[in-house]
Amino acid sequence: MSFSFYGELCTEVYELTKPIGHSINGDLEFYKQKLAACEGRILEVMVGSGRVMIPLLEAGFAVDGMDYSPEMLAVCRQHCEARGLQANLVQADLLQLSLPNLYEAIIIPCGSFLLIEDRQQSIQALQRLYEHLQPNGRLIVDLFLPNTNFELGTFEGTSTFHFPNGDLITMESKLVEVDLFNQYKVSHLKYEKWRNGNLLQTELQRFATRWYGVEEFKLILESIGFTDIVVSADYVDGQQPSNAQQSYTFEAIRK
């Protein structure tokens, strides 16, 4: 069985655990506050099923969505249609991003940027985003640091997700690769969908994350040309990072 990238079962679990409008530690409220003065278009990169984008659309923001996963975008489109929202959704590789619009703001919530495993590709992605911003446009991106379990072969846990129709999906995570020098780790996720005790479907996912130090990421943004870089911890505007358990939101301006 080959590995999927945010395939059908992963999307179902994502939908259940990250429903539309669900705020993760206050991130949705934080983004609404940060974007309040935006009058132009906004791009959400790695939009997923629309957890953040759809509430922004409903609040009157002009938001486009982009994702690599067609499964995620199909669900996002369904949610928009059900709510009577006109949404411009694009399936694209971030490294090859070429959209007709320049944006007043580009956002990447929930640490999704860490899913770009290769460092050079992550820098290339930031360069593409820089080119898609208007002068004085803002990039807002969340990052976090990994947990400290780096023992290879460790089963990081099995989770069970119960669905309203009685189906359940189990997800087993196993750590298979760690590179502390290059700051990434890889887990294999195994999803199994069950109905009335019968196994219906299995899906494997290679789940890689790359992490960055706070000062390191500032320097990367500066090297691309971003200025006026501000970091806030735990979705509190202006709160300085103080420990490794926090999430970090970077705001940077294209001059």
Side-chain angles (χ1 to χ4, degrees):
M1 179 178 293
S2 61
F3 289 98
S4 66
F5 181 82
Y6 278 76
E8 184 178 337
L9 297 188
C10 173
T11 300
E12 288 189 44
V13 170
Y14 187 98
E15 274 278 272
L16 184 71
T17 58
K18 298 180 177 67
I20 304 303
H22 173 65
S23 182
I24 299 176
N25 300 320
D27 68 339
L28 184 54
E29 294 81 1
F30 179 85
Y31 272 90
K32 284 183 177 179
Q33 172 198 347
K34 284 295 178 185
L35 298 170
C38 274
E39 298 179 354
R41 299 203 68 81
I42 299 164
L43 174 67
E44 183 182 352
V45 174
M46 301 176 175
V47 70
S49 60
R51 178 185 71 90
V52 173
M53 176 187 181
I54 288 175
L56 292 178
L57 286 171
E58 292 177 329
F61 294 97
V63 190
D64 298 339
M66 169 263 158
D67 205 291
Y68 184 75
S69 167
E71 291 85 358
M72 284 288 190
L73 285 176
V75 172
C76 185
R77 189 170 287 107
Q78 290 170 7
H79 284 306
C80 289
E81 291 174 353
R83 290 164 169 78
L85 297 170
Q86 297 293 324
N88 181 28
L89 298 173
V90 179
Q91 195 274 328
D93 182 345
L94 182 53
L95 302 180
Q96 309 296 328
L97 191 64
S98 180
L99 301 178
N101 297 315
L102 293 180
Y103 292 92
E104 186 174 346
I106 296 177
I107 64 172
I108 315 179
C110 205
S112 297
F113 184 78
L114 301 179
L115 297 175
I116 304 175
E117 180 181 351
D118 181 82
R119 179 185 173 88
Q120 286 306 119
Q121 289 184 347
S122 68
I123 292 172
Q124 182 181 342
L126 289 170
Q127 290 170 332
R128 301 301 300 144
L129 296 179
Y130 184 90
E131 293 164 3
H132 279 78
L133 282 169
Q134 299 173 359
N136 297 314
R138 280 187 297 162
L139 174 69
I140 310 176
V141 55
D142 295 344
L143 302 182
F144 57 83
L145 294 171
N147 63 43
T148 55
N149 176 18
F150 295 136
E151 184 178 348
L152 287 178
T154 300
F155 282 94
E156 299 175 293
T158 299
S159 302
T160 302
F161 304 94
H162 296 269
F163 291 80
N165 66 353
D167 290 355
L168 61 88
I169 294 178
T170 59
M171 184 189 75
E172 182 181 89
S173 176
K174 181 180 181 180
L175 185 65
V176 297
E177 184 179 352
V178 175
D179 189 328
L180 293 177
F181 181 77
N182 289 302
Q183 298 173 215
Y184 74 89
K185 68 176 186 175
V186 180
S187 297
H188 285 173
L189 308 183
K190 181 180 180 181
Y191 297 88
E192 292 184 332
K193 185 174 185 177
W194 299 82
R195 180 178 297 163
N196 299 323
N198 297 312
L199 179 62
L200 301 180
Q201 189 175 349
T202 301
E203 183 176 287
L204 299 179
Q205 181 183 10
R206 184 180 185 276
F207 187 78
T209 55
R210 159 175 292 283
W211 63 89
Y212 301 86
V214 172
E215 296 302 321
E216 174 192 12
F217 200 70
K218 284 184 184 178
L219 290 173
I220 291 172
L221 292 172
E222 289 174 352
S223 72
I224 291 167
F226 286 103
T227 63
D228 302 313
I229 299 166
V230 177
V231 187
S232 299
D234 288 339
Y235 304 112
V236 178
D237 191 17
Q239 177 170 282
Q240 293 299 303
S242 61
N243 64 76
Q245 282 69 52
Q246 294 174 311
S247 59
Y248 316 106
T249 303
F250 292 76
E251 297 177 71
I253 304 295
R254 172 182 177 170
K255 288 297 187 183

